[in-house]
């Protein structure tokens, strides 16, 4: 886009807008508000909380560039942009750190309190604090947790379990089965990765769930065939492969979300569902822009599915945000005023996947030629070969990622989290309560209000 054309086009749109009355600033949450005014009396029956783990504002901006149609003057709105309502503060209440981790932030969004990093819905006295999912179950509603990480990872864990540490994976998985509310299991639909933690030497939770009437599924096909309202789906030993690395037998986040909605929406008392795009964060930690955009796309598609459901339903409140940002992802780097999505789109698999193939014995040239549509420069090839010679997976993974980051104009400043505010999106009858600058605890506290 050349600047001059831009300016002329903008002036034209402004003039045309004022003359014939077109609004050029289609407001963000208007669709939600329209619902409010269109005959459902603003009643919330179902609540869907979506969390893009690590999805700070640079990720949603980069995703907009990725989605841009280069043949039009304006940069089109993404599914996120259409429902933007504000920003959220994410700081934890931790004696040593003031940038949050996923556990503390998820506790804030699930239980409405600030706590220390690593806490799974316990407060600073290590006492359990009730969550919105538990509140929904107490009200007789159906409940679900969907994630692309292991389902007992920090974010889903904070909704369905209580633990002094996010690292107690086995105990968290046990909680999903053992903690009963009114004689029932807390979570009706559990979908994600994590067979390692459910099928263990000391305990087989899969059998426990099956004995209590849950349908257990392990592939896309089985998931799509499910007709049971209690469902456990585990599709990987730990986290699912990244979206662009997945085989057809591994479901997308959209597939899992659709399957969850199908069952949960049959409960006449309504439902609570948490859906997490878990690995945007993992891509950020690895400073890998290709994986980050792969996971953004997976998450965006799940959001589209959720919005469609909510539009049809009319009594569903959707709120989507991030727990924090990861990696210090920047759109533009090294003084250059350019972000080039084509460099990222050239990868058909993640650098992680390619690094694995090379580690497994394939040649660097073969792997790059097979999965990347641009030609590597001699310098780029040399940097990857040099990394491959060190026999360290992370070094190789980093070297491949860096070629894409450099070509795309993506910078990273840390392998950890950053403390910047995160975007908030909403759709449904009560979307306005999430607008402006809110605190991450407001997410839970407003949802508690809907569930009353
Ligand atoms: Zn993280």
């Amino acid at each position: 886009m050349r600047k001059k054309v831009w300016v002329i086009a903008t002036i034209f749109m402004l003039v045309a807008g004022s003359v014939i009355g077109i609004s050029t600033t289609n407001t963000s949450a208007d669709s939600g508000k329209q619902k409010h005014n269109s005959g459902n009396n603003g009643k919330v029956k179902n609540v869907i909380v979506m969390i893009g783990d690590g999805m700070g504002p640079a990720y949603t901006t980069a995703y907009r560039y990725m989605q841009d149609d280069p043949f039009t003057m304006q940069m089109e709105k993404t599914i996120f942009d259409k429902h933007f309502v504000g920003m959220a503060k994410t700081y934890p209440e931790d004696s040593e750190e003031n940038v949050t981790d996923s556990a503390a932030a998820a506790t804030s969004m699930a239980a409405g309190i600030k706590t220390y990093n690593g806490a799974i819905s316990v407060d600073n006295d290590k006492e359990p604090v009730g969550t919105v999912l538990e509140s929904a179950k107490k009200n007789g509603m159906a409940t679900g947790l969907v994630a692309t990480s292991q389902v007992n990872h920090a974010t889903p864990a904070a909704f369905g379990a209580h633990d002094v540490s996010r690292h107690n994976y086995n105990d968290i998985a046990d909680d999903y089965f053992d903690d009963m509310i009114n004689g029932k299991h807390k979570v009706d639909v559990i979908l994600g990765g994590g067979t390692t933690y459910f099928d263990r030497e000391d305990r087989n939770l899969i059998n426990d769930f099956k004995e209590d009437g849950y349908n257990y599924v392990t592939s896309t096909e089985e998931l799509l065939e499910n007709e049971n309202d209690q469902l456990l789906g585990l599709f990987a030993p730990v986290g699912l492969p990244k979206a662009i690395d997945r085989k057809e037998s591994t479901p997308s986040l959209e597939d899992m979300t659709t399957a969850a909605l199908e069952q949960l929406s049959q409960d006449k008392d309504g439902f609570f569902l948490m859906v997490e795009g878990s690995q945007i964060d993992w891509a950020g930690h690895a400073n890998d822009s290709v994986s980050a955009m792969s996971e953004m796309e997976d998450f965006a598609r799940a959001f589209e599915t959720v919005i469609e459901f909510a539009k049809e339903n009319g009594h569903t409140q959707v709120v989507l945000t991030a727990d924090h940002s990861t990696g210090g992802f920047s759109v533009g780097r090294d003084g250059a005023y350019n972000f080039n999505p084509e460099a990222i789109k050239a990868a058909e698999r993640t650098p992680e996947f390619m690094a694995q193939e090379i580690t497994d014995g394939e040649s660097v040239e073969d792997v790059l030629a097979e999965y990347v549509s641009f030609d590597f420069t001699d310098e780029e090839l040399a940097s990857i070969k040099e990394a491959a010679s060190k026999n360290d997976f992370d070094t190789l993974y980093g070297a491949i990622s860096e070629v894409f980051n450099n070509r795309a104009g993506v910078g990273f400043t840390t392998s950890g989290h950053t403390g910047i505010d995160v975007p908030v999106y909403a759709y449904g009858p009560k979307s306005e309560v999430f607008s402006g600058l809110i605190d991450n605890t407001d997410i839970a506290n407003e949802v508690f209000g809907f569930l009353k």
Side-chain angles (χ1 to χ4, degrees), residues 53-54 101-102 166 281-282 285 323-324 326 416-417:
D53 201 302
D101 83 327
S102 291
R166 59 182 292 173
D281 173 67
W282 298 5
H285 281 286
D323 47 358
H324 52 75
T326 306
H417 296 174

Side-chain angles (χ1 to χ4, degrees), residues 422-436:
V422 293
V424 181
Y425 308 89
Y427 178 86
K430 297 283 187 206
S431 292
E432 65 273 11
V433 304
F434 299 108
S435 67

Side-chain angles (χ1 to χ4, degrees), residues 154-383:
T155 307
F159 286 84
H162 302 276
D163 207 294
V164 295
S165 168
R166 59 182 292 173
H167 300 296
N168 295 332
Y169 283 115
N170 291 347
D171 295 340
I172 291 166
D174 288 349
D175 271 9
Y176 290 168
F177 185 83
D178 295 336
D179 286 1
M180 309 285 267
I181 292 179
N182 299 333
K184 288 182 178 138
H185 295 295
K186 255 188 228 184
V187 200
D188 299 301
V189 174
I190 304 172
L191 299 173
T195 44
T196 305
Y197 310 100
F198 284 74
D199 180 1
R200 316 189 304 254
E201 241 165 58
D202 67 313
R203 190 167 183 190
N204 190 325
L205 285 165
I206 295 168
N207 287 343
D208 290 345
F209 274 110
K210 281 204 243 177
E211 272 165 31
D212 280 8
Y214 280 67
N215 183 25
Y216 176 59
V217 299
T218 59
S219 68
T220 308
E221 205 183 353
E222 289 174 0
L223 178 69
L224 297 179
E225 279 169 5
N226 173 66
E227 286 180 352
N228 203 343
D229 61 355
Q230 290 191 305
L231 173 64
L232 174 66
L234 301 174
F235 307 100
V238 185
L240 269 57
K242 302 274 188 321
I244 60 171
D245 296 340
R246 270 174 226 153
K247 297 193 180 108
E248 255 175 53
S249 56
T250 306
S252 65
L253 189 58
E254 181 186 9
D255 292 334
M256 294 193 285
T257 304
T258 303
L261 287 173
E262 230 165 64
Q263 295 311 320
L264 298 174
S265 63
Q266 289 177 27
D267 194 306
K268 59 174 178 22
D269 301 308
F271 67 84
F272 172 84
L273 170 65
M274 195 288 301
V275 176
E276 184 192 31
S278 317
Q279 298 191 32
I280 301 163
D281 173 67
W282 298 5
H285 281 286
N287 292 359
D288 171 359
S289 59
V290 172
S291 291
M293 291 302 112
S294 154
E295 298 315 284
M296 283 297 295
E297 175 72 19
D298 197 35
F299 191 50
R301 288 197 181 162
F303 189 32
E304 268 166 28
T305 296
V306 161
I307 292 290
E308 237 148 68
F309 172 87
K311 271 188 183 160
E312 192 117 307
N313 178 273
H315 295 282
T316 299
Q317 181 60 49
V318 183
V319 59
L320 182 151
T321 188
D323 47 358
H324 52 75
S325 193
T326 306
F329 191 109
S330 72
V331 179
R333 68 180 267 176
D334 298 335
Y337 286 41
N338 260 311
F339 175 72
N340 171 26
E342 296 311 314
I344 293 173
K345 288 178 189 168
E348 278 167 34
R349 296 284 187 280
T350 65
E352 187 181 19
F353 182 96
M354 294 183 235
Q356 190 58 56
E357 296 253 298
I358 295 166
T359 305
D360 291 345
E362 301 288 325
S363 83
V364 170
E365 282 91 347
D366 285 355
V367 169
L368 299 181
E370 188 169 354
Y371 300 118
V372 187
S373 63
F374 58 70
D375 292 327
F376 284 73
T377 65
D378 292 344
E379 211 179 308
E380 288 168 342
L381 258 184
S383 71

Side-chain angles (χ1 to χ4, degrees), residues 93 113-116 122-129 164:
E93 194 180 278
I113 58 153
K114 291 284 185 186
T115 189
Y116 63 95
V122 298
D123 61 19
N124 257 311
D125 299 323
K126 307 207 165 159
E127 289 298 324
V129 179
V164 295

